[in-house]
mmCIF file of all heavy atoms in Angstrom:
data_model
loop_
_atom_site.group_PDB
_atom_site.id
_atom_site.type_symbol
_atom_site.label_atom_id
_atom_site.label_comp_id
_atom_site.label_asym_id
_atom_site.label_seq_id
_atom_site.Cartn_x
_atom_site.Cartn_y
_atom_site.Cartn_z
ATOM 1 N N ASP A 1 7.273 -8.825 23.783
ATOM 2 C CA ASP A 1 6.097 -8.027 24.115
ATOM 3 C C ASP A 1 6.036 -6.764 23.260
ATOM 4 O O ASP A 1 4.976 -6.393 22.752
ATOM 5 C CB ASP A 1 6.142 -7.657 25.604
ATOM 6 C CG ASP A 1 4.830 -7.048 26.078
ATOM 7 O OD1 ASP A 1 3.772 -7.614 25.756
ATOM 8 O OD2 ASP A 1 4.869 -6.016 26.753
ATOM 9 N N ASN A 2 7.194 -6.120 23.098
ATOM 10 C CA ASN A 2 7.245 -4.916 22.265
ATOM 11 C C ASN A 2 6.905 -5.230 20.816
ATOM 12 O O ASN A 2 6.228 -4.454 20.142
ATOM 13 C CB ASN A 2 8.629 -4.273 22.350
ATOM 14 C CG ASN A 2 8.882 -3.619 23.696
ATOM 15 O OD1 ASN A 2 7.944 -3.314 24.436
ATOM 16 N ND2 ASN A 2 10.140 -3.413 24.029
ATOM 17 N N GLU A 3 7.411 -6.387 20.354
ATOM 18 C CA GLU A 3 7.141 -6.761 18.966
ATOM 19 C C GLU A 3 5.658 -7.063 18.763
ATOM 20 O O GLU A 3 5.065 -6.689 17.743
ATOM 21 C CB GLU A 3 7.983 -7.982 18.579
ATOM 22 C CG GLU A 3 7.962 -8.296 17.091
ATOM 23 C CD GLU A 3 8.454 -7.130 16.245
ATOM 24 O OE1 GLU A 3 9.383 -6.412 16.669
ATOM 25 O OE2 GLU A 3 7.880 -6.921 15.150
ATOM 26 N N LEU A 4 5.045 -7.741 19.741
ATOM 27 C CA LEU A 4 3.622 -8.060 19.644
ATOM 28 C C LEU A 4 2.762 -6.797 19.660
ATOM 29 O O LEU A 4 1.662 -6.774 19.093
ATOM 30 C CB LEU A 4 3.199 -8.977 20.797
ATOM 31 C CG LEU A 4 3.688 -10.425 20.722
ATOM 32 C CD1 LEU A 4 3.359 -11.159 22.013
ATOM 33 C CD2 LEU A 4 3.053 -11.150 19.536
ATOM 34 N N ASN A 5 3.256 -5.750 20.288
ATOM 35 C CA ASN A 5 2.504 -4.499 20.379
ATOM 36 C C ASN A 5 2.977 -3.448 19.383
ATOM 37 O O ASN A 5 2.586 -2.289 19.476
ATOM 38 C CB ASN A 5 2.596 -3.937 21.801
ATOM 39 C CG ASN A 5 1.773 -4.725 22.805
ATOM 40 O OD1 ASN A 5 0.553 -4.648 22.823
ATOM 41 N ND2 ASN A 5 2.439 -5.509 23.625
ATOM 42 N N SER A 6 3.815 -3.868 18.442
ATOM 43 C CA SER A 6 4.292 -2.939 17.419
ATOM 44 C C SER A 6 3.320 -2.910 16.245
ATOM 45 O O SER A 6 2.879 -3.957 15.765
ATOM 46 C CB SER A 6 5.679 -3.359 16.917
ATOM 47 O OG SER A 6 6.639 -3.222 17.939
ATOM 48 N N VAL A 7 2.962 -1.711 15.827
ATOM 49 C CA VAL A 7 2.101 -1.531 14.654
ATOM 50 C C VAL A 7 2.766 -0.534 13.705
ATOM 51 O O VAL A 7 3.679 0.198 14.101
ATOM 52 C CB VAL A 7 0.691 -1.040 15.057
ATOM 53 C CG1 VAL A 7 -0.055 -2.123 15.817
ATOM 54 C CG2 VAL A 7 0.775 0.228 15.900
ATOM 55 N N TYR A 8 2.314 -0.527 12.457
ATOM 56 C CA TYR A 8 2.983 0.270 11.433
ATOM 57 C C TYR A 8 1.925 1.002 10.600
ATOM 58 O O TYR A 8 0.879 0.429 10.276
ATOM 59 C CB TYR A 8 3.804 -0.641 10.528
ATOM 60 C CG TYR A 8 4.743 -1.564 11.292
ATOM 61 C CD1 TYR A 8 4.259 -2.757 11.852
ATOM 62 C CD2 TYR A 8 6.077 -1.246 11.468
ATOM 63 C CE1 TYR A 8 5.109 -3.594 12.564
ATOM 64 C CE2 TYR A 8 6.927 -2.088 12.176
ATOM 65 C CZ TYR A 8 6.429 -3.262 12.723
ATOM 66 O OH TYR A 8 7.259 -4.092 13.427
ATOM 67 N N PHE A 9 2.208 2.252 10.286
ATOM 68 C CA PHE A 9 1.256 2.982 9.457
ATOM 69 C C PHE A 9 1.989 3.779 8.387
ATOM 70 O O PHE A 9 3.147 4.163 8.532
ATOM 71 C CB PHE A 9 0.361 3.908 10.305
ATOM 72 C CG PHE A 9 1.068 5.089 10.902
ATOM 73 C CD1 PHE A 9 1.226 6.270 10.174
ATOM 74 C CD2 PHE A 9 1.562 5.045 12.193
ATOM 75 C CE1 PHE A 9 1.873 7.372 10.719
ATOM 76 C CE2 PHE A 9 2.218 6.138 12.749
ATOM 77 C CZ PHE A 9 2.364 7.303 12.009
ATOM 78 N N ALA A 10 1.264 3.996 7.293
ATOM 79 C CA ALA A 10 1.782 4.817 6.189
ATOM 80 C C ALA A 10 0.590 5.487 5.522
ATOM 81 O O ALA A 10 -0.501 4.920 5.455
ATOM 82 C CB ALA A 10 2.536 3.948 5.184
ATOM 83 N N TYR A 11 0.796 6.718 5.059
ATOM 84 C CA TYR A 11 -0.285 7.397 4.351
ATOM 85 C C TYR A 11 0.309 8.307 3.287
ATOM 86 O O TYR A 11 1.491 8.676 3.315
ATOM 87 C CB TYR A 11 -1.179 8.194 5.306
ATOM 88 C CG TYR A 11 -0.484 9.306 6.047
ATOM 89 C CD1 TYR A 11 -0.380 10.580 5.479
ATOM 90 C CD2 TYR A 11 0.046 9.095 7.314
ATOM 91 C CE1 TYR A 11 0.254 11.606 6.153
ATOM 92 C CE2 TYR A 11 0.682 10.109 7.998
ATOM 93 C CZ TYR A 11 0.788 11.374 7.410
ATOM 94 O OH TYR A 11 1.420 12.384 8.081
ATOM 95 N N GLY A 12 -0.538 8.657 2.349
ATOM 96 C CA GLY A 12 -0.134 9.521 1.240
ATOM 97 C C GLY A 12 -1.120 9.363 0.101
ATOM 98 O O GLY A 12 -2.071 8.565 0.179
ATOM 99 N N THR A 13 -0.910 10.084 -0.947
ATOM 100 C CA THR A 13 -1.770 9.925 -2.123
ATOM 101 C C THR A 13 -1.474 8.566 -2.753
ATOM 102 O O THR A 13 -0.433 7.953 -2.484
ATOM 103 C CB THR A 13 -1.504 11.035 -3.143
ATOM 104 O OG1 THR A 13 -0.157 10.915 -3.624
ATOM 105 C CG2 THR A 13 -1.715 12.409 -2.517
ATOM 106 N N LYS A 14 -2.387 8.108 -3.614
ATOM 107 C CA LYS A 14 -2.174 6.798 -4.230
ATOM 108 C C LYS A 14 -0.899 6.800 -5.078
ATOM 109 O O LYS A 14 -0.186 5.788 -5.146
ATOM 110 C CB LYS A 14 -3.389 6.391 -5.066
ATOM 111 C CG LYS A 14 -3.679 7.286 -6.257
ATOM 112 C CD LYS A 14 -4.917 6.788 -6.991
ATOM 113 C CE LYS A 14 -5.230 7.705 -8.195
ATOM 114 N NZ LYS A 14 -6.442 7.253 -8.926
ATOM 115 N N GLU A 15 -0.609 7.950 -5.703
ATOM 116 C CA GLU A 15 0.615 8.029 -6.507
ATOM 117 C C GLU A 15 1.860 7.881 -5.617
ATOM 118 O O GLU A 15 2.806 7.179 -5.957
ATOM 119 C CB GLU A 15 0.677 9.363 -7.261
ATOM 120 C CG GLU A 15 -0.325 9.504 -8.407
ATOM 121 C CD GLU A 15 -1.722 9.860 -7.905
ATOM 122 O OE1 GLU A 15 -1.864 10.207 -6.697
ATOM 123 O OE2 GLU A 15 -2.677 9.767 -8.701
ATOM 124 N N GLU A 16 1.835 8.568 -4.457
ATOM 125 C CA GLU A 16 2.969 8.469 -3.534
ATOM 126 C C GLU A 16 3.150 7.045 -3.028
ATOM 127 O O GLU A 16 4.275 6.520 -2.969
ATOM 128 C CB GLU A 16 2.760 9.414 -2.344
ATOM 129 C CG GLU A 16 2.868 10.890 -2.691
ATOM 130 C CD GLU A 16 2.481 11.797 -1.539
ATOM 131 O OE1 GLU A 16 1.745 11.333 -0.634
ATOM 132 O OE2 GLU A 16 2.910 12.956 -1.535
ATOM 133 N N LEU A 17 2.049 6.408 -2.696
ATOM 134 C CA LEU A 17 2.123 5.051 -2.165
ATOM 135 C C LEU A 17 2.550 4.054 -3.238
ATOM 136 O O LEU A 17 3.298 3.106 -2.951
ATOM 137 C CB LEU A 17 0.774 4.649 -1.560
ATOM 138 C CG LEU A 17 0.343 5.462 -0.324
ATOM 139 C CD1 LEU A 17 -1.061 5.077 0.105
ATOM 140 C CD2 LEU A 17 1.318 5.249 0.831
ATOM 141 N N MET A 18 2.111 4.277 -4.478
ATOM 142 C CA MET A 18 2.532 3.392 -5.564
ATOM 143 C C MET A 18 4.004 3.607 -5.890
ATOM 144 O O MET A 18 4.750 2.647 -6.113
ATOM 145 C CB MET A 18 1.662 3.634 -6.802
ATOM 146 C CG MET A 18 0.229 3.122 -6.648
ATOM 147 S SD MET A 18 -0.821 3.465 -8.089
ATOM 148 C CE MET A 18 -0.034 2.417 -9.330
ATOM 149 N N ASP A 19 4.430 4.860 -5.915
ATOM 150 C CA ASP A 19 5.840 5.159 -6.208
ATOM 151 C C ASP A 19 6.775 4.562 -5.152
ATOM 152 O O ASP A 19 7.933 4.248 -5.449
ATOM 153 C CB ASP A 19 6.060 6.671 -6.287
ATOM 154 C CG ASP A 19 5.417 7.285 -7.519
ATOM 155 O OD1 ASP A 19 5.090 6.515 -8.458
ATOM 156 O OD2 ASP A 19 5.216 8.516 -7.527
ATOM 157 N N ASN A 20 6.288 4.406 -3.947
ATOM 158 C CA ASN A 20 7.114 3.871 -2.862
ATOM 159 C C ASN A 20 6.840 2.389 -2.594
ATOM 160 O O ASN A 20 7.173 1.861 -1.529
ATOM 161 C CB ASN A 20 6.876 4.677 -1.584
ATOM 162 C CG ASN A 20 7.539 6.037 -1.637
ATOM 163 O OD1 ASN A 20 8.744 6.155 -1.429
ATOM 164 N ND2 ASN A 20 6.746 7.075 -1.935
ATOM 165 N N ASP A 21 6.231 1.721 -3.597
ATOM 166 C CA ASP A 21 6.018 0.258 -3.552
ATOM 167 C C ASP A 21 5.223 -0.198 -2.342
ATOM 168 O O ASP A 21 5.543 -1.207 -1.696
ATOM 169 C CB ASP A 21 7.361 -0.471 -3.577
ATOM 170 C CG ASP A 21 8.094 -0.269 -4.885
ATOM 171 O OD1 ASP A 21 7.424 -0.223 -5.938
ATOM 172 O OD2 ASP A 21 9.337 -0.159 -4.855
ATOM 173 N N VAL A 22 4.180 0.565 -2.020
ATOM 174 C CA VAL A 22 3.310 0.169 -0.925
ATOM 175 C C VAL A 22 2.032 -0.460 -1.462
ATOM 176 O O VAL A 22 1.574 -1.495 -0.980
ATOM 177 C CB VAL A 22 2.974 1.373 -0.012
ATOM 178 C CG1 VAL A 22 1.979 0.968 1.087
ATOM 179 C CG2 VAL A 22 4.245 1.929 0.625
ATOM 180 N N ILE A 23 1.427 0.171 -2.493
ATOM 181 C CA ILE A 23 0.186 -0.350 -3.061
ATOM 182 C C ILE A 23 0.368 -0.597 -4.548
ATOM 183 O O ILE A 23 1.350 -0.184 -5.173
ATOM 184 C CB ILE A 23 -0.995 0.626 -2.820
ATOM 185 C CG1 ILE A 23 -0.753 1.940 -3.580
ATOM 186 C CG2 ILE A 23 -1.193 0.881 -1.323
ATOM 187 C CD1 ILE A 23 -1.951 2.890 -3.536
ATOM 188 N N GLN A 24 -0.625 -1.290 -5.122
ATOM 189 C CA GLN A 24 -0.639 -1.572 -6.562
ATOM 190 C C GLN A 24 -2.078 -1.570 -7.045
ATOM 191 O O GLN A 24 -3.017 -1.629 -6.254
ATOM 192 C CB GLN A 24 -0.007 -2.948 -6.819
ATOM 193 C CG GLN A 24 -0.789 -4.090 -6.165
ATOM 194 C CD GLN A 24 -0.138 -5.434 -6.338
ATOM 195 O OE1 GLN A 24 0.825 -5.571 -7.068
ATOM 196 N NE2 GLN A 24 -0.676 -6.450 -5.670
ATOM 197 N N LYS A 25 -2.239 -1.513 -8.365
ATOM 198 C CA LYS A 25 -3.570 -1.633 -8.959
ATOM 199 C C LYS A 25 -3.752 -3.046 -9.470
ATOM 200 O O LYS A 25 -2.864 -3.606 -10.107
ATOM 201 C CB LYS A 25 -3.739 -0.632 -10.092
ATOM 202 C CG LYS A 25 -3.893 0.813 -9.646
ATOM 203 C CD LYS A 25 -4.160 1.718 -10.834
ATOM 204 C CE LYS A 25 -4.367 3.172 -10.402
ATOM 205 N NZ LYS A 25 -4.642 4.058 -11.554
ATOM 206 N N LYS A 26 -4.908 -3.612 -9.199
ATOM 207 C CA LYS A 26 -5.192 -4.974 -9.650
ATOM 208 C C LYS A 26 -6.526 -5.001 -10.393
ATOM 209 O O LYS A 26 -7.481 -4.332 -10.009
ATOM 210 C CB LYS A 26 -5.263 -5.926 -8.452
ATOM 211 C CG LYS A 26 -3.927 -6.129 -7.751
ATOM 212 C CD LYS A 26 -4.045 -7.056 -6.573
ATOM 213 C CE LYS A 26 -4.420 -8.466 -7.004
ATOM 214 N NZ LYS A 26 -4.443 -9.398 -5.860
ATOM 215 N N GLY A 27 -6.557 -5.810 -11.453
ATOM 216 C CA GLY A 27 -7.799 -5.993 -12.199
ATOM 217 C C GLY A 27 -8.088 -4.823 -13.112
ATOM 218 O O GLY A 27 -7.260 -3.933 -13.351
ATOM 219 N N GLY A 28 -9.299 -4.767 -13.650
ATOM 220 C CA GLY A 28 -9.709 -3.695 -14.550
ATOM 221 C C GLY A 28 -9.195 -3.929 -15.965
ATOM 222 O O GLY A 28 -8.412 -4.844 -16.231
ATOM 223 N N VAL A 29 -9.650 -3.096 -16.856
ATOM 224 C CA VAL A 29 -9.250 -3.169 -18.261
ATOM 225 C C VAL A 29 -8.601 -1.846 -18.641
ATOM 226 O O VAL A 29 -9.210 -0.788 -18.515
ATOM 227 C CB VAL A 29 -10.463 -3.450 -19.173
ATOM 228 C CG1 VAL A 29 -10.023 -3.483 -20.640
ATOM 229 C CG2 VAL A 29 -11.135 -4.757 -18.782
ATOM 230 N N LEU A 30 -7.340 -1.932 -19.075
ATOM 231 C CA LEU A 30 -6.586 -0.739 -19.459
ATOM 232 C C LEU A 30 -6.580 0.304 -18.332
ATOM 233 O O LEU A 30 -6.688 1.505 -18.556
ATOM 234 C CB LEU A 30 -7.151 -0.125 -20.739
ATOM 235 C CG LEU A 30 -7.106 -1.017 -21.989
ATOM 236 C CD1 LEU A 30 -7.787 -0.317 -23.164
ATOM 237 C CD2 LEU A 30 -5.664 -1.386 -22.334
ATOM 238 N N GLY A 31 -6.519 -0.205 -17.130
ATOM 239 C CA GLY A 31 -6.454 0.692 -15.970
ATOM 240 C C GLY A 31 -7.793 1.138 -15.467
ATOM 241 O O GLY A 31 -7.890 1.778 -14.422
ATOM 242 N N VAL A 32 -8.870 0.832 -16.229
ATOM 243 C CA VAL A 32 -10.215 1.254 -15.808
ATOM 244 C C VAL A 32 -10.808 0.168 -14.911
ATOM 245 O O VAL A 32 -10.823 -1.010 -15.266
ATOM 246 C CB VAL A 32 -11.136 1.488 -17.023
ATOM 247 C CG1 VAL A 32 -12.538 1.893 -16.549
ATOM 248 C CG2 VAL A 32 -10.537 2.545 -17.933
ATOM 249 N N GLY A 33 -11.326 0.592 -13.782
ATOM 250 C CA GLY A 33 -11.933 -0.355 -12.848
ATOM 251 C C GLY A 33 -10.933 -1.114 -12.005
ATOM 252 O O GLY A 33 -11.291 -2.058 -11.307
ATOM 253 N N ALA A 34 -9.676 -0.714 -12.080
ATOM 254 C CA ALA A 34 -8.649 -1.386 -11.280
ATOM 255 C C ALA A 34 -8.857 -1.095 -9.797
ATOM 256 O O ALA A 34 -9.293 0.000 -9.415
ATOM 257 C CB ALA A 34 -7.266 -0.931 -11.711
ATOM 258 N N VAL A 35 -8.544 -2.059 -8.963
ATOM 259 C CA VAL A 35 -8.711 -1.934 -7.519
ATOM 260 C C VAL A 35 -7.341 -1.746 -6.876
ATOM 261 O O VAL A 35 -6.395 -2.469 -7.190
ATOM 262 C CB VAL A 35 -9.392 -3.186 -6.929
ATOM 263 C CG1 VAL A 35 -9.492 -3.074 -5.410
ATOM 264 C CG2 VAL A 35 -10.766 -3.376 -7.551
ATOM 265 N N LYS A 36 -7.252 -0.792 -6.002
ATOM 266 C CA LYS A 36 -5.991 -0.550 -5.293
ATOM 267 C C LYS A 36 -5.878 -1.533 -4.130
ATOM 268 O O LYS A 36 -6.854 -1.752 -3.399
ATOM 269 C CB LYS A 36 -5.942 0.890 -4.774
ATOM 270 C CG LYS A 36 -5.947 1.932 -5.882
ATOM 271 C CD LYS A 36 -5.902 3.327 -5.336
ATOM 272 C CE LYS A 36 -7.230 3.713 -4.677
ATOM 273 N NZ LYS A 36 -8.358 3.801 -5.617
ATOM 274 N N SER A 37 -4.716 -2.130 -3.989
ATOM 275 C CA SER A 37 -4.492 -3.093 -2.902
ATOM 276 C C SER A 37 -3.043 -3.026 -2.428
ATOM 277 O O SER A 37 -2.175 -2.488 -3.121
ATOM 278 C CB SER A 37 -4.818 -4.520 -3.363
ATOM 279 O OG SER A 37 -3.906 -4.930 -4.366
ATOM 280 N N LEU A 38 -2.816 -3.578 -1.271
ATOM 281 C CA LEU A 38 -1.470 -3.627 -0.700
ATOM 282 C C LEU A 38 -0.639 -4.640 -1.474
ATOM 283 O O LEU A 38 -1.085 -5.755 -1.742
ATOM 284 C CB LEU A 38 -1.557 -4.037 0.775
ATOM 285 C CG LEU A 38 -0.309 -3.880 1.634
ATOM 286 C CD1 LEU A 38 0.053 -2.418 1.789
ATOM 287 C CD2 LEU A 38 -0.544 -4.509 3.006
ATOM 288 N N LYS A 39 0.570 -4.266 -1.852
ATOM 289 C CA LYS A 39 1.445 -5.182 -2.577
ATOM 290 C C LYS A 39 1.862 -6.342 -1.670
ATOM 291 O O LYS A 39 1.990 -6.185 -0.460
ATOM 292 C CB LYS A 39 2.698 -4.457 -3.072
ATOM 293 C CG LYS A 39 2.436 -3.417 -4.155
ATOM 294 C CD LYS A 39 3.737 -2.843 -4.714
ATOM 295 C CE LYS A 39 4.472 -3.894 -5.534
ATOM 296 N NZ LYS A 39 5.656 -3.318 -6.225
ATOM 297 N N ASN A 40 2.048 -7.500 -2.303
ATOM 298 C CA ASN A 40 2.472 -8.666 -1.520
ATOM 299 C C ASN A 40 3.842 -8.444 -0.873
ATOM 300 O O ASN A 40 4.082 -8.854 0.253
ATOM 301 C CB ASN A 40 2.504 -9.912 -2.405
ATOM 302 C CG ASN A 40 1.103 -10.331 -2.834
ATOM 303 O OD1 ASN A 40 0.139 -10.096 -2.113
ATOM 304 N ND2 ASN A 40 0.989 -10.932 -4.002
ATOM 305 N N ASP A 41 4.724 -7.814 -1.627
ATOM 306 C CA ASP A 41 6.077 -7.541 -1.123
ATOM 307 C C ASP A 41 6.248 -6.039 -0.882
ATOM 308 O O ASP A 41 7.227 -5.436 -1.309
ATOM 309 C CB ASP A 41 7.125 -8.052 -2.101
ATOM 310 C CG ASP A 41 6.939 -7.471 -3.505
ATOM 311 O OD1 ASP A 41 5.859 -6.897 -3.756
ATOM 312 O OD2 ASP A 41 7.876 -7.564 -4.323
#
């Protein structure tokens, strides 16, 4: 029951989240137009 009701949150600047392997940039050309998304791992 506790596990089913467990949730997780994280926040910070995009640089902080990228440095801590939470998000990544996907798509775009040379970094332009890239979309930020949650990393698979």
